[in-house]
C-alpha cells in the first residue's frame, strides 16, 4: 500500500481517513472519495484507519453486508453499534505503542472530532497533516446577541441557501465549493473567480464581496478582534486554526434557519412531488408490464436508467438527488445498494423489488421508496411488509407537542417490528433540502442520541421511512416526505402548540404485500385514504388512455 510508504517517510504510525470533504458534505465529488480509494468500500458512511501493519474500517449497520463484500484483502471490518466493536480511539490505543504519531488531514475533520481525538489518544501525538438581505440580517442579529464579530459558514448547502445560489460541483447536490465569512459589516463569499458570472453578481448585488476560494485562510490569520469568531461544530480544523483569536463553537445557526421552510418552499415540495409521482407511476406500470406480460429480462441498472428517463420528461427537472437504489431479492437487503451495469442482477418478478429514488427540481427535492412484488408474495414477506407499513402509519398520523424530538418518536416506527422480534439498522427519518441536499439537518427521527437535541418545528421537512432487511432474502422500505404542520387539538395543555404531519409524496403504496389481518380499522382507513389521495393528485396529470392511468386505478383500489 502506497500510503504505508508515505507513513514511514513522514514518521507517522497511523493515518485516519474519514468519508467527508472539507465542507462536511454528504455527497462527494469523485476527487474527494479518499476513503473509497483506500479501502474499496463505496458506502456513504465510514472511517478507515491505516497503521504500519494493519488497516480497519468502521461503518454502521446499513453497510455491514456491503462492506464485507467490497473491502480488500487484509481489511478489518469494525461494525459500529455492536457492543464488541471498539471505537476508533480504543482500537488505536490497542494496536499502537505509547508515543505513536497519528496523522489526520485538518481539512477533513471537524473541530469537535479533533478535540475528541486529542482527549482519547492522550498517549499519542495527533499530527495535522496539511493536505498536500434577510437571511444575512437574521444571522447578524444572532451575532450581536452572542457578542461575536463574525461567523464562518463552511457547509456548502448552507452557503447556497444563505445567498440563494445553486451550483453543480457535486453530483446530485446543486452546490458549489465555497466558504463564507459574515460580519456586521460584510458578507464575503470565497469562491473560484471563474464561477462568479455577471448574473451571479447582479443577483447578490452590493451586499456580497467575492474573494478567491483559499483567501479565507489568509484573511482569518490577519483578523484581529476583541470578541469571538463563531464557528459551527462541523467546521474543519484548518479553518478553526487559521484564526488565532477567541472562538465560540456551537451548532450551525444557518442550518437551523434553513430547516424551517417558507410557504413558497413548502408549496414547491407539494408541486414537485406531484410531478415526480407521475414518473414513478409510469415507471412501475412499465416495469410490471415488461416483467409479467412481456417476460423481458431487465437488470436493476437498466430499470434505474428507465426511471431516470421518465423523470427527464417532467417540467423543472434538474437531475437525480442520489443514485437510484433498484434492487431485486437479496440485493434489497443491502440498505444502500447501487446497481452497476455489467455486474448487477436481473430483476426477478417472483421476488420483492425495492426502489429508493429521488430527483432535483427547481422547486424542490424528492426522495421516495416503494417496495413492490410483481408475483405472489410469501406469508413471511407480507408479515414483514405489513409491520413496516404499520410503523410508517404510526409516524404519519402522530400528533405531538411542538419541540418533540425525533429520538422520542422513533420507537413508534419500530413497535410492530419489535413485537415480532424484528428491527432495522438505520434512522427512521431525515430532513430534506429545498432544491438542495436530499439529506439535511438538524432534525431527524432515529435512535441515536444526537437526534434528541433539535425538536421538530412547524415548517420542517422529514422523511418517514421504516424498513426491514433480511440478509440473503429481501429488503423492505416505505418512504414518504412529510411537512411538519400545526394542528388543531381540543385542548392545549401547557398553552403550547401541537404539531402533526402532511404527506406530500403521492406514489401509491402497494396493497398486494399487505396482510390485512395485521392492520387495525384505523390503519386500513389510512391506507385506503392515502391511495385515494395519490389517485386524486396524480390522475389529472395522466392521459386516461395511457397504460399508467389504468395501472394507477388498479393500484389505488381500497382493500
Amino acid at each position: 500500500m502506497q500510503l504505508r510508504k508515505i507513513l514511514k517517510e513522514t514518521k507517522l504510525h497511523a493515518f485516519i481517513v474519514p468519508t467527508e470533504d472539507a465542507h462536511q458534505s454528504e455527497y462527494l465529488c469523485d476527487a474527494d472519495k479518499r476513503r473509497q480509494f483506500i479501502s474499496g468500500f463505496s458506502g456513504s458512511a465510514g472511517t478507515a484507519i491505516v497503521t504500519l501493519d494493519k488497516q480497519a474500517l468502521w461503518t454502521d449497520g446499513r453497510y455491514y453486508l456491503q462492506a464485507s463484500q467490497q473491502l480488500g484483502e487484509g481489511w478489518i471490518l469494525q461494525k459500529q453499534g455492536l457492543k464488541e466493536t471498539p471505537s476508533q480511539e480504543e482500537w488505536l490505543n490497542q494496536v499502537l505503542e505509547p508515543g505513536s504519531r497519528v496523522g489526520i488531514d485538518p481539512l477533513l475533520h471537524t473541530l469537535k472530532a479533533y478535540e475528541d481525538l486529542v482527549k482519547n489518544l492522550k498517549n499519542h501525538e495527533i499530527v495535522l497533516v496539511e493536505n498536500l438581505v434577510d437571511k444575512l440580517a437574521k444571522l447578524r442579529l444572532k451575532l450581536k446577541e452572542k457578542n461575536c464579530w463574525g461567523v464562518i459558514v463552511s457547509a456548502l448547502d448552507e452557503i447556497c441557501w444563505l445567498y440563494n445560489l445553486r451550483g453543480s460541483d457535486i453530483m446530485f447536490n446543486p452546490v458549489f465549493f465555497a466558504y463564507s465569512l459574515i460580519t456586521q459589516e460584510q458578507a464575503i463569499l470565497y469562491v473560484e473567480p471563474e464561477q462568479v458570472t455577471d448574473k451571479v453578481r447582479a443577483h447578490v448585488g452590493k451586499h456580497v464581496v467575492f474573494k478567491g476560494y483559499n483567501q479565507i485562510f489568509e484573511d482569518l490569520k490577519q483578523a484581529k478582534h476583541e470578541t469571538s469568531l463563531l464557528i459551527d461544530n462541523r467546521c474543519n480544523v484548518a479553518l478553526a486554526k487559521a484564526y488565532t483569536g477567541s472562538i465560540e463553537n456551537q451548532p450551525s445557526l444557518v442550518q437551523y434557519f434553513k430547516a424551517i421552510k417558507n410557504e413558497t418552499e413548502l408549496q414547491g415540495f407539494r408541486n414537485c412531488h406531484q410531478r415526480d409521482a407521475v414518473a414513478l407511476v409510469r415507471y412501475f406500470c412499465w416495469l410490471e408490464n415488461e416483467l409479467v406480460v412481456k417476460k423481458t429480462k431487465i437488470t436493476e441498472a437498466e430499470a434505474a436508467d428507465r426511471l431516470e428517463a421518465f423523470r427527464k420528461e417532467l417540467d423543472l427537472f434538474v437531475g437525480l438527488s442520489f443514485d437510484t437504489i433498484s434492487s431485486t431479492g437479496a440485493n434489497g437487503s443491502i440498505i444502500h445498494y447501487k446497481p452497476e451495469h455489467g455486474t448487477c442482477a436481473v430483476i426477478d418478478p417472483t421476488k420483492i423489488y425495492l426502489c429508493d429514488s429521488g430527483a432535483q427540481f427547481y422547486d424542490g427535492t424528492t426522495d421516495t421508496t416503494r417496495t413492490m412484488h410483481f408475483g405472489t408474495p410469501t406469508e413471511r414477506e407480507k408479515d414483514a411488509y405489513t409491520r413496516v407499513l404499520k410503523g410508517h402509519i404510526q409516524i404519519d398520523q402522530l400528533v405531538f407537542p411542538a419541540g418533540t424530538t425525533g429520538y422520542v418518536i422513533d420507537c413508534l416506527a419500530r413497535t410492530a417490528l419489535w413485537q415480532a422480534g424484528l428491527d432495522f439498522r438505520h434512522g427512521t427519518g431525515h430532513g430534506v433540502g429545498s432544491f438542495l441536499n436530499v439529506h439535511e439537518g438538524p432534525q431527524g427521527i432515529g435512535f441515536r442520541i444526537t437526534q434528541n437535541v433539535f425538536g421538530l418545528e412547524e415548517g420542517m421537512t422529514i422523511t418517514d421511512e421504516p424498513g426491514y432487511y433480511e440478509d440473503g432474502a429481501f429488503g423492505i422500505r416505505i418512504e414518504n416526505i412529510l411537512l411538519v404542520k400545526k394542528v388543531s387539538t381540543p385542548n392545549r395543555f401547557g398553552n403550547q402548540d401541537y404539531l402533526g404531519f402532511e404527506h406530500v409524496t403521492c406514489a401509491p403504496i402497494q396493497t398486494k404485500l399487505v396482510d390485512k389481518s395485521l392492520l387495525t380499522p384505523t390503519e386500513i382507513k389510512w391506507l385506503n385514504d392515502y391511495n385515494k389521495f395519490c389517485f386524486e393528485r396524480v390522475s389529472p396529470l395522466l392521459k386516461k388512455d395511457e397504460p399508467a392511468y389504468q395501472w394507477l386505478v388498479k393500484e389505488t383500489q381500497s382493500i
Side-chain angles (χ1 to χ4, degrees):
M1 184 183 288
Q2 187 67 21
L3 179 57
R4 288 209 170 95
K5 180 181 178 182
I6 298 173
L7 291 181
K8 292 175 182 178
E9 291 173 352
T10 54
K11 295 182 170 55
L12 293 174
H13 301 95
F15 195 83
I16 302 175
V17 185
T19 297
E20 294 75 18
D21 64 10
H23 304 272
Q24 300 298 299
S25 305
E26 179 186 8
Y27 288 90
L28 306 176
C29 67
D30 288 344
D32 284 327
K33 294 179 180 178
R34 301 169 179 85
R35 189 221 60 223
Q36 179 177 338
F37 177 79
I38 287 292
S39 68
F41 169 61
S42 63
S44 65
T47 299
I49 300 180
V50 178
T51 72
L52 293 174
D53 60 354
K54 295 179 177 64
Q55 61 249 24
L57 178 124
W58 280 256
T59 191
D60 60 45
R62 296 172 296 170
Y63 294 112
Y64 292 170
L65 184 58
Q66 181 178 341
S68 68
Q69 295 173 347
Q70 291 183 330
L71 287 175
E73 184 178 350
W75 280 89
I76 302 168
L77 174 57
Q78 303 283 15
K79 297 181 178 180
Q80 287 176 306
L82 300 185
K83 291 182 179 179
E84 63 268 25
T85 301
S87 68
Q88 295 163 31
E89 294 90 343
E90 289 171 340
W91 186 77
L92 283 169
N93 283 324
Q94 291 169 8
V95 302
L96 295 180
E97 294 292 332
S100 296
R101 303 175 79 239
V102 179
I104 68 168
D105 182 344
L107 285 170
L108 308 182
H109 292 258
T110 65
L111 185 60
K112 183 180 185 304
Y114 168 74
E115 290 171 346
D116 287 343
L117 284 173
V118 172
K119 177 182 177 181
N120 295 315
L121 297 176
K122 292 180 180 178
N123 295 325
H124 307 293
E125 179 185 0
I126 308 299
V127 182
L128 302 182
V129 182
E130 299 297 337
N131 194 14
L132 314 163
V133 18
D134 285 342
K135 297 173 182 177
L136 292 175
K138 187 187 294 186
L139 196 53
R140 284 170 173 147
L141 180 62
K142 287 294 183 181
L143 288 178
K144 188 174 182 179
E145 291 175 0
K146 294 178 178 296
N147 194 31
C148 292
W149 68 268
V151 58
I152 292 174
V153 183
S154 62
L156 301 184
D157 61 330
E158 294 179 16
I159 292 170
C160 288
W161 176 86
L162 189 62
Y163 294 105
N164 200 21
L165 295 169
R166 299 296 187 268
S168 57
D169 284 353
I170 296 180
M171 188 177 292
F172 308 125
N173 297 332
V175 299
F176 55 93
F177 288 118
Y179 295 108
S180 188
L181 174 62
I182 295 95
T183 71
Q184 292 294 352
E185 297 78 28
Q186 280 188 316
I188 307 172
L189 187 56
Y190 298 90
V191 62
E192 294 297 343
E194 59 268 23
Q195 292 183 279
V196 185
T197 64
D198 290 342
K199 188 175 181 180
V200 169
R201 291 184 186 277
H203 168 72
V204 299
K206 62 183 180 180
H207 304 290
V208 178
V209 175
F210 291 97
K211 293 188 177 184
Y213 177 72
N214 288 309
Q215 183 60 37
I216 188 171
F217 296 98
E218 187 60 33
D219 285 359
L220 289 174
K221 288 177 183 177
Q222 301 299 324
K224 304 293 181 184
H225 293 274
E226 293 182 0
T227 56
S228 297
L229 173 66
L230 187 64
I231 65 172
D232 79 70
N233 49 24
R234 298 166 301 152
C235 176
N236 68 58
V237 179
L239 276 177
K241 293 291 184 181
Y243 181 61
T244 57
S246 174
I247 284 177
E248 182 173 332
N249 184 358
Q250 68 162 50
S252 169
L253 294 172
V254 178
Q255 183 188 44
Y256 172 76
F257 294 154
K258 177 169 58 67
I260 308 295
K261 305 295 185 282
N262 61 38
E263 188 51 46
T264 299
E265 291 170 320
L266 294 173
Q267 188 58 44
F269 270 95
R270 298 182 185 102
N271 295 344
C272 72
H273 278 85
Q274 182 184 27
R275 295 194 306 276
D276 198 51
V278 171
L280 288 167
V281 167
R282 285 174 173 160
Y283 169 67
F284 287 124
C285 171
W286 167 84
L287 185 60
E288 183 176 68
N289 185 61
E290 292 293 324
L291 295 176
V292 178
V293 179
K294 294 184 178 180
K295 311 295 183 184
T296 308
K297 300 294 183 183
I298 300 173
T299 69
E300 297 161 320
E302 289 169 343
D305 290 344
R306 190 70 184 93
L307 175 53
E308 183 176 1
F310 279 121
R311 283 193 163 111
K312 286 181 177 178
E313 298 172 356
L314 303 174
D315 290 341
L316 305 182
F317 174 81
V318 178
L320 300 184
S321 55
F322 56 94
D323 276 315
T324 297
I325 300 172
S326 170
S327 53
T328 184
N331 288 339
S333 65
I334 303 174
I335 297 171
H336 279 189
Y337 174 75
K338 177 187 175 184
E340 300 283 359
H341 285 285
T343 59
C344 66
V346 172
I347 298 175
D348 185 343
T350 69
K351 295 180 180 179
I352 280 182
Y353 174 70
L354 185 154
C355 183
D356 186 349
S357 67
Q360 296 286 5
F361 297 91
Y362 285 118
D363 56 349
T365 303
T366 68
D367 181 2
T368 304
T369 308
R370 288 295 180 264
T371 303
M372 312 291 287
H373 203 298
F374 301 110
T376 303
T378 66
E379 292 304 311
R380 172 67 171 174
E381 291 169 338
K382 291 173 68 174
D383 180 89
Y385 180 91
T386 308
R387 292 179 186 279
V388 170
L389 175 60
K390 288 170 73 71
H392 179 93
I393 295 172
Q394 285 294 307
I395 296 295
D396 184 277
Q397 290 191 313
L398 187 64
V399 174
F400 53 94
T404 300
T405 66
Y407 180 83
V408 171
I409 68 175
D410 177 71
C411 63
L412 297 175
R414 303 173 190 269
T415 302
L417 289 165
W418 287 349
Q419 289 169 346
L422 305 176
D423 204 349
F424 55 98
R425 287 193 178 109
H426 60 72
T428 298
H430 58 81
V432 180
S434 177
F435 184 32
L436 270 176
N437 297 1
V438 72
H439 292 165
E440 76 167 19
Q443 74 275 24
I445 304 174
F447 51 82
R448 292 175 178 160
I449 196 65
T450 53
Q451 282 155 335
N452 200 33
V453 177
F454 291 94
L456 295 170
E457 297 189 29
E458 182 182 9
M460 285 182 169
T461 59
I462 197 77
T463 62
D464 176 7
E465 51 179 310
Y468 173 67
Y469 312 90
E470 198 155 289
D471 288 351
F474 59 81
I476 295 167
R477 186 162 63 253
I478 302 171
E479 177 185 18
N480 283 352
I481 288 181
L482 311 176
L483 310 181
V484 183
K485 65 176 184 178
K486 191 179 294 185
V487 298
S488 177
T489 54
N491 304 288
R492 292 187 67 211
F493 181 80
N495 199 34
Q496 62 183 339
D497 291 331
Y498 283 77
L499 304 176
F501 297 116
E502 172 193 347
H503 44 245
V504 292
T505 307
C506 41
I509 293 174
Q510 191 181 57
T511 57
K512 179 193 290 188
L513 275 160
V514 171
D515 180 347
K516 188 176 177 180
S517 68
L518 291 177
L519 296 179
T520 66
T522 300
E523 291 167 339
I524 292 172
K525 183 180 184 304
W526 182 95
L527 179 57
N528 290 334
D529 287 348
Y530 177 77
N531 279 339
K532 180 182 178 183
F533 158 80
C534 292
F535 180 81
E536 291 173 347
R537 291 283 287 165
V538 181
S539 60
L541 302 184
L542 297 171
K543 297 178 181 178
K544 289 190 175 182
D545 60 348
E546 69 173 296
Y549 185 93
Q550 298 306 318
W551 185 90
L552 180 64
V553 170
K554 172 175 70 77
E555 291 295 318
T556 54
Q557 294 298 303
S558 296
I559 62 171

